Amino acid sequence: MPLLPQQIAPVDERQAALTEAHLSDRIGALMDYFLALRAETDAVLAPRLAAAAGKPYPYGRCAEINSDLFARMAGRVKQPATDVERTLHDFVSQGGVIRTVWGVLRGQYFQNAIQFGGLYVDVSNDTVVVTKPKVEILPIAESGLVPVRDLAHFRATAESYWGAAIYANHLVPSLAPLLPMISASPGRLRPGMQSACDYMIALMCRDGFRQAEDWLRDGPTPPPEIAAAVLASIPPDLRARTADGRTEALDACRWARASGCDRDQGWRDVRVSEYLRTVRT
């Protein structure tokens, strides 16, 4: 089965061998390199990003830090100027996997990181517990990062990590096949649809929106105060057309499955654009 976006790639014999040949005896140099990149990232992002859940940078900013640092590194590895960059360039040129990954870390919280063959490199290791080292490098097998298995796994993690209450998205039916959940975390995150990350969107598509449909059928409707907070940013044309948002959301899943939307990147892109309208309004 094809990998989902940001899913950990299997560490097969080739990846294990390439990791051993190029990276395993250079952990100290890699650590220094990523700490230097992290300092550059911090200098750019810290002044720009507001406090998350009332806590200052870097708390809660693993996605932004990981994305910025990965982009810096990727550009430099294409035209290497240092020993570490030349090592990473050689690793990639021989088939080594370098990709951003996302999942549930040690059963506690969502985390972004970077996979280098058989290595896990967390360049935002201090974004939950800010006293931890900024960078952590471990074998993938020892990292404790696992893919989100399904909606139940996501909900359990969101409930424990964010203190979230999770409801069914009966408010924006056209987006419900991809974003079937509403989360509300008092004092932490603004109530909104979940989850607009590439991995979760692809996970909803993988089974033709069936697990989204199951949750939308059985999950609780947001209470009035949560619904009002969410709808405050939803353009009128995206809201439920009737008082029965549950049925509209279920119909949207069934229509999308029958129409092959799970395999239609154009349809997915339009839905994501519509979602972005809700966070920019």
Side-chain angles (χ1 to χ4, degrees):
M1 185 176 294
L3 289 176
L4 300 180
Q6 291 194 283
Q7 183 176 352
I8 297 169
V11 182
D12 57 18
E13 290 185 7
R14 184 184 187 197
Q15 292 303 315
L18 287 169
T19 303
E20 183 65 25
H22 293 276
L23 306 179
S24 293
D25 63 350
R26 296 173 172 84
I27 299 300
L30 289 168
M31 178 67 76
D32 290 343
Y33 180 72
F34 289 117
L35 284 170
L37 283 182
R38 172 63 193 273
E40 294 180 23
T41 289
D42 287 344
V44 171
L45 296 186
R48 180 187 304 170
L49 296 178
K55 298 182 181 180
Y57 181 92
Y59 182 84
R61 295 300 187 177
C62 68
E64 294 89 345
I65 291 169
N66 199 69
S67 178
D68 182 272
L69 191 148
F70 184 85
R72 292 174 188 278
M73 178 204 66
R76 295 176 191 184
V77 168
K78 290 179 181 177
Q79 297 182 312
T82 69
D83 287 344
V84 168
E85 288 164 1
R86 283 186 283 273
T87 293
L88 294 175
H89 178 86
D90 292 344
F91 174 73
V92 172
S93 68
Q94 294 182 38
V97 167
I98 298 181
R99 61 189 276 124
T100 61
V101 293
W102 175 85
V104 176
L105 186 63
R106 299 162 198 154
Q108 296 179 296
Y109 43 79
F110 301 115
Q111 186 70 7
N112 292 269
I114 306 171
Q115 177 180 4
F116 293 80
L119 291 181
Y120 163 93
V121 179
D122 183 351
V123 297
S124 55
N125 189 49
D126 57 338
T127 54
V128 176
V129 179
V130 297
T131 56
K132 291 173 66 175
K134 292 178 181 291
V135 176
E136 181 176 56
I137 301 177
L138 292 170
I140 285 280
E142 298 176 16
S143 69
L145 186 73
V146 299
V148 173
R149 297 184 299 272
D150 49 32
L151 284 180
H153 191 196
F154 182 95
R155 296 198 308 273
T157 306
E159 288 167 355
S160 62
Y161 177 28
W162 297 337
I166 307 295
Y167 305 98
N169 179 11
H170 301 152
L171 305 176
V172 191
S174 64
L175 302 187
L178 296 181
L179 303 169
M181 298 172 287
I182 299 288
S183 70
S185 306
R188 288 177 56 87
L189 302 171
R190 171 183 167 187
M193 290 177 281
Q194 297 293 344
S195 170
C197 70
D198 291 340
Y199 179 95
M200 289 301 295
I201 287 173
L203 185 63
M204 294 303 95
C205 290
R206 190 163 69 179
D207 69 353
F209 317 109
R210 286 179 173 83
Q211 64 173 311
E213 182 180 350
D214 289 345
W215 172 247
L216 291 162
R217 182 189 63 238
D218 300 332
T221 295
E225 66 276 13
I226 301 300
V230 173
L231 289 172
S233 66
I234 305 299
D237 61 301
L238 296 181
R239 299 181 185 187
R241 297 186 302 275
T242 70
D244 190 358
R246 186 188 301 267
T247 295
E248 289 188 45
L250 293 172
D251 287 346
C253 289
R254 293 161 185 156
W255 178 88
R257 181 164 57 250
S259 301
C261 294
D262 52 309
R263 302 180 301 278
D264 185 342
Q265 185 63 47
W267 177 86
R268 191 184 311 187
D269 290 345
V270 170
R271 301 290 82 73
V272 171
S273 295
E274 290 177 342
Y275 166 76
L276 292 175
R277 288 170 57 203
T278 74
V279 297
R280 291 172 180 168
T281 299

mmCIF file of all heavy atoms in Angstrom, residues 5 17 19 30 35 38-39 43 53 57 92 96 101 114 151 157 171 180 192 201 204 212 231-232 252 274:
data_model
loop_
_atom_site.group_PDB
_atom_site.id
_atom_site.type_symbol
_atom_site.label_atom_id
_atom_site.label_comp_id
_atom_site.label_asym_id
_atom_site.label_seq_id
_atom_site.Cartn_x
_atom_site.Cartn_y
_atom_site.Cartn_z
ATOM 1 N N PRO A 5 1.110 10.709 3.097
ATOM 2 C CA PRO A 5 2.019 11.829 3.340
ATOM 3 C C PRO A 5 2.503 11.826 4.784
ATOM 4 O O PRO A 5 1.716 11.649 5.713
ATOM 5 C CB PRO A 5 1.139 13.055 3.059
ATOM 6 C CG PRO A 5 0.069 12.566 2.134
ATOM 7 C CD PRO A 5 -0.198 11.147 2.550
ATOM 8 N N ALA A 17 21.198 -0.455 5.648
ATOM 9 C CA ALA A 17 22.595 -0.480 5.210
ATOM 10 C C ALA A 17 23.099 0.921 4.876
ATOM 11 O O ALA A 17 24.234 1.290 5.217
ATOM 12 C CB ALA A 17 22.738 -1.406 4.001
ATOM 13 N N THR A 19 21.970 3.730 6.060
ATOM 14 C CA THR A 19 22.083 4.474 7.319
ATOM 15 C C THR A 19 23.377 4.120 8.030
ATOM 16 O O THR A 19 24.099 5.002 8.521
ATOM 17 C CB THR A 19 20.877 4.168 8.223
ATOM 18 O OG1 THR A 19 19.675 4.498 7.531
ATOM 19 C CG2 THR A 19 20.951 4.975 9.505
ATOM 20 N N LEU A 30 25.973 15.295 12.985
ATOM 21 C CA LEU A 30 24.592 15.567 12.614
ATOM 22 C C LEU A 30 23.900 16.412 13.684
ATOM 23 O O LEU A 30 23.167 17.368 13.365
ATOM 24 C CB LEU A 30 23.825 14.267 12.402
ATOM 25 C CG LEU A 30 24.182 13.449 11.161
ATOM 26 C CD1 LEU A 30 23.562 12.069 11.237
ATOM 27 C CD2 LEU A 30 23.734 14.168 9.892
ATOM 28 N N LEU A 35 21.421 21.459 15.237
ATOM 29 C CA LEU A 35 21.322 22.529 16.234
ATOM 30 C C LEU A 35 21.602 23.889 15.608
ATOM 31 O O LEU A 35 20.954 24.893 15.939
ATOM 32 C CB LEU A 35 22.280 22.262 17.393
ATOM 33 C CG LEU A 35 21.842 21.184 18.386
ATOM 34 C CD1 LEU A 35 22.980 20.834 19.334
ATOM 35 C CD2 LEU A 35 20.611 21.635 19.173
ATOM 36 N N ARG A 38 18.600 24.771 13.604
ATOM 37 C CA ARG A 38 17.511 25.136 14.509
ATOM 38 C C ARG A 38 17.692 26.571 15.010
ATOM 39 O O ARG A 38 16.707 27.318 15.153
ATOM 40 C CB ARG A 38 17.458 24.151 15.663
ATOM 41 C CG ARG A 38 16.488 24.511 16.782
ATOM 42 C CD ARG A 38 15.013 24.555 16.316
ATOM 43 N NE ARG A 38 14.218 25.195 17.358
ATOM 44 C CZ ARG A 38 13.687 24.540 18.391
ATOM 45 N NH1 ARG A 38 13.816 23.219 18.493
ATOM 46 N NH2 ARG A 38 12.998 25.189 19.304
ATOM 47 N N ALA A 39 18.930 26.989 15.265
ATOM 48 C CA ALA A 39 19.170 28.363 15.694
ATOM 49 C C ALA A 39 18.737 29.349 14.611
ATOM 50 O O ALA A 39 18.151 30.408 14.907
ATOM 51 C CB ALA A 39 20.644 28.553 16.041
ATOM 52 N N ALA A 43 15.604 32.072 14.968
ATOM 53 C CA ALA A 43 15.795 33.509 14.746
ATOM 54 C C ALA A 43 14.722 34.079 13.832
ATOM 55 O O ALA A 43 14.318 35.246 13.974
ATOM 56 C CB ALA A 43 17.179 33.756 14.150
ATOM 57 N N ALA A 53 -1.499 28.496 22.800
ATOM 58 C CA ALA A 53 -2.175 28.097 24.043
ATOM 59 C C ALA A 53 -1.666 28.915 25.227
ATOM 60 O O ALA A 53 -1.522 28.398 26.339
ATOM 61 C CB ALA A 53 -1.993 26.608 24.295
ATOM 62 N N TYR A 57 6.737 30.884 22.212
ATOM 63 C CA TYR A 57 7.575 30.070 21.332
ATOM 64 C C TYR A 57 8.728 29.475 22.155
ATOM 65 O O TYR A 57 9.296 30.143 23.009
ATOM 66 C CB TYR A 57 8.134 30.970 20.229
ATOM 67 C CG TYR A 57 8.999 30.283 19.222
ATOM 68 C CD1 TYR A 57 8.458 29.772 18.053
ATOM 69 C CD2 TYR A 57 10.376 30.151 19.436
ATOM 70 C CE1 TYR A 57 9.268 29.145 17.116
ATOM 71 C CE2 TYR A 57 11.183 29.517 18.514
ATOM 72 C CZ TYR A 57 10.620 29.019 17.352
ATOM 73 O OH TYR A 57 11.421 28.389 16.424
ATOM 74 N N VAL A 92 21.363 10.474 0.001
ATOM 75 C CA VAL A 92 20.184 10.579 -0.863
ATOM 76 C C VAL A 92 20.487 10.050 -2.260
ATOM 77 O O VAL A 92 19.671 9.333 -2.865
ATOM 78 C CB VAL A 92 19.696 12.034 -0.927
ATOM 79 C CG1 VAL A 92 18.584 12.194 -1.969
ATOM 80 C CG2 VAL A 92 19.207 12.499 0.429
ATOM 81 N N GLY A 96 18.958 6.778 -0.161
ATOM 82 C CA GLY A 96 18.531 6.981 1.213
ATOM 83 C C GLY A 96 17.280 7.840 1.285
ATOM 84 O O GLY A 96 17.124 8.809 0.532
ATOM 85 N N VAL A 101 8.061 13.360 8.744
ATOM 86 C CA VAL A 101 7.129 12.359 9.262
ATOM 87 C C VAL A 101 6.311 12.981 10.392
ATOM 88 O O VAL A 101 6.718 13.969 11.014
ATOM 89 C CB VAL A 101 7.864 11.091 9.754
ATOM 90 C CG1 VAL A 101 8.497 10.348 8.583
ATOM 91 C CG2 VAL A 101 8.928 11.426 10.799
ATOM 92 N N ILE A 114 11.813 14.305 11.251
ATOM 93 C CA ILE A 114 12.390 14.013 9.938
ATOM 94 C C ILE A 114 12.993 12.614 9.996
ATOM 95 O O ILE A 114 13.690 12.259 10.958
ATOM 96 C CB ILE A 114 13.479 15.035 9.557
ATOM 97 C CG1 ILE A 114 12.933 16.465 9.651
ATOM 98 C CG2 ILE A 114 13.987 14.759 8.137
ATOM 99 C CD1 ILE A 114 13.995 17.547 9.491
ATOM 100 N N LEU A 151 -9.346 7.158 13.231
ATOM 101 C CA LEU A 151 -9.943 8.290 13.926
ATOM 102 C C LEU A 151 -9.964 8.087 15.438
ATOM 103 O O LEU A 151 -9.783 9.047 16.201
ATOM 104 C CB LEU A 151 -11.361 8.530 13.411
ATOM 105 C CG LEU A 151 -11.500 9.211 12.050
ATOM 106 C CD1 LEU A 151 -12.974 9.372 11.695
ATOM 107 C CD2 LEU A 151 -10.796 10.553 12.027
ATOM 108 N N THR A 157 -5.636 10.664 21.291
ATOM 109 C CA THR A 157 -4.442 11.503 21.469
ATOM 110 C C THR A 157 -4.835 12.957 21.669
ATOM 111 O O THR A 157 -4.281 13.647 22.538
ATOM 112 C CB THR A 157 -3.508 11.358 20.264
ATOM 113 O OG1 THR A 157 -3.214 9.971 20.050
ATOM 114 C CG2 THR A 157 -2.214 12.117 20.483
ATOM 115 N N LEU A 171 -21.528 20.577 11.117
ATOM 116 C CA LEU A 171 -21.668 22.007 10.876
ATOM 117 C C LEU A 171 -21.286 22.404 9.457
ATOM 118 O O LEU A 171 -21.852 23.336 8.888
ATOM 119 C CB LEU A 171 -20.802 22.796 11.870
ATOM 120 C CG LEU A 171 -21.044 22.495 13.346
ATOM 121 C CD1 LEU A 171 -20.054 23.271 14.208
ATOM 122 C CD2 LEU A 171 -22.476 22.833 13.740
ATOM 123 N N PRO A 180 -13.908 15.210 9.496
ATOM 124 C CA PRO A 180 -15.146 14.752 10.142
ATOM 125 C C PRO A 180 -15.281 15.136 11.611
ATOM 126 O O PRO A 180 -16.326 14.873 12.205
ATOM 127 C CB PRO A 180 -15.062 13.230 10.002
ATOM 128 C CG PRO A 180 -13.594 12.940 9.990
ATOM 129 C CD PRO A 180 -12.966 14.106 9.272
ATOM 130 N N GLY A 192 -12.424 24.037 16.229
ATOM 131 C CA GLY A 192 -12.330 23.976 14.779
ATOM 132 C C GLY A 192 -12.389 22.563 14.255
ATOM 133 O O GLY A 192 -12.493 21.587 15.008
ATOM 134 N N ILE A 201 -5.944 13.803 6.037
ATOM 135 C CA ILE A 201 -6.790 13.922 4.849
ATOM 136 C C ILE A 201 -6.631 12.673 3.979
ATOM 137 O O ILE A 201 -7.610 12.087 3.499
ATOM 138 C CB ILE A 201 -6.460 15.206 4.082
ATOM 139 C CG1 ILE A 201 -7.001 16.420 4.843
ATOM 140 C CG2 ILE A 201 -7.019 15.163 2.655
ATOM 141 C CD1 ILE A 201 -6.598 17.757 4.259
ATOM 142 N N MET A 204 -8.398 9.674 5.501
ATOM 143 C CA MET A 204 -9.842 9.675 5.271
ATOM 144 C C MET A 204 -10.166 9.177 3.856
ATOM 145 O O MET A 204 -11.169 8.495 3.636
ATOM 146 C CB MET A 204 -10.422 11.078 5.484
ATOM 147 C CG MET A 204 -10.344 11.601 6.907
ATOM 148 S SD MET A 204 -11.144 10.553 8.149
ATOM 149 C CE MET A 204 -9.735 9.587 8.747
ATOM 150 N N ALA A 212 -14.833 8.074 8.329
ATOM 151 C CA ALA A 212 -15.421 9.398 8.537
ATOM 152 C C ALA A 212 -16.938 9.284 8.646
ATOM 153 O O ALA A 212 -17.567 9.875 9.536
ATOM 154 C CB ALA A 212 -15.032 10.329 7.385
ATOM 155 N N LEU A 231 -18.945 28.230 13.906
ATOM 156 C CA LEU A 231 -19.677 28.857 12.804
ATOM 157 C C LEU A 231 -19.336 30.326 12.634
ATOM 158 O O LEU A 231 -19.553 30.898 11.554
ATOM 159 C CB LEU A 231 -21.176 28.685 13.009
ATOM 160 C CG LEU A 231 -21.696 27.253 12.817
ATOM 161 C CD1 LEU A 231 -23.157 27.155 13.248
ATOM 162 C CD2 LEU A 231 -21.531 26.813 11.361
ATOM 163 N N ALA A 232 -18.765 30.941 13.659
ATOM 164 C CA ALA A 232 -18.396 32.355 13.549
ATOM 165 C C ALA A 232 -17.390 32.596 12.433
ATOM 166 O O ALA A 232 -17.319 33.711 11.887
ATOM 167 C CB ALA A 232 -17.827 32.838 14.882
ATOM 168 N N ALA A 252 -22.815 13.596 2.185
ATOM 169 C CA ALA A 252 -21.592 14.077 1.538
ATOM 170 C C ALA A 252 -20.557 12.962 1.432
ATOM 171 O O ALA A 252 -19.875 12.830 0.406
ATOM 172 C CB ALA A 252 -21.021 15.261 2.315
ATOM 173 N N GLU A 274 -11.465 25.446 0.411
ATOM 174 C CA GLU A 274 -12.640 25.872 1.165
ATOM 175 C C GLU A 274 -12.350 25.900 2.668
ATOM 176 O O GLU A 274 -12.792 26.815 3.381
ATOM 177 C CB GLU A 274 -13.820 24.946 0.855
ATOM 178 C CG GLU A 274 -14.351 25.120 -0.560
ATOM 179 C CD GLU A 274 -15.469 24.151 -0.896
ATOM 180 O OE1 GLU A 274 -15.605 23.134 -0.173
ATOM 181 O OE2 GLU A 274 -16.189 24.409 -1.872
#
